Amino acid sequence: MKSTQKFTAIMEPEGDGYLSLCPELDIASQGDNIEEARQNLLEALELFFETADPSEVKNRLPTNY
């Protein structure tokens, strides 16, 4: 069974685009607009969970997750 977790996504204007950040995991991305920045952050998070060592995931997750 898959578990679902919610994380914060912060979008901020930066130059001509947007920066997207997940502070809980210290993962960031960017895009030309808010939606692209959000999608790129989702992709970065998916790649992190697919490829990171389980100990790295555990170290980055806050203790209440």
Side-chain angles (χ1 to χ4, degrees), residues 7-42:
F7 296 103
T8 306
I10 298 170
M11 309 294 172
E12 294 184 353
E14 183 176 88
D16 291 337
Y18 287 85
L19 171 71
S20 53
L21 171 68
C22 175
E24 292 92 349
L25 297 169
D26 194 28
I27 295 176
S29 193
Q30 62 186 24
D32 291 334
N33 55 54
I34 290 175
E35 182 58 28
E36 185 176 293
R38 186 185 75 80
Q39 283 298 116
N40 289 344
L41 180 61
L42 284 173

Side-chain angles (χ1 to χ4, degrees), residues 4-10 21-25 45 49 57 60-62 65:
T4 300
Q5 297 178 347
K6 292 185 179 186
F7 296 103
T8 306
I10 298 170
L21 171 68
C22 175
E24 292 92 349
L25 297 169
L45 289 166
F49 283 113
V57 174
R60 288 190 186 210
L61 284 176
Y65 276 86

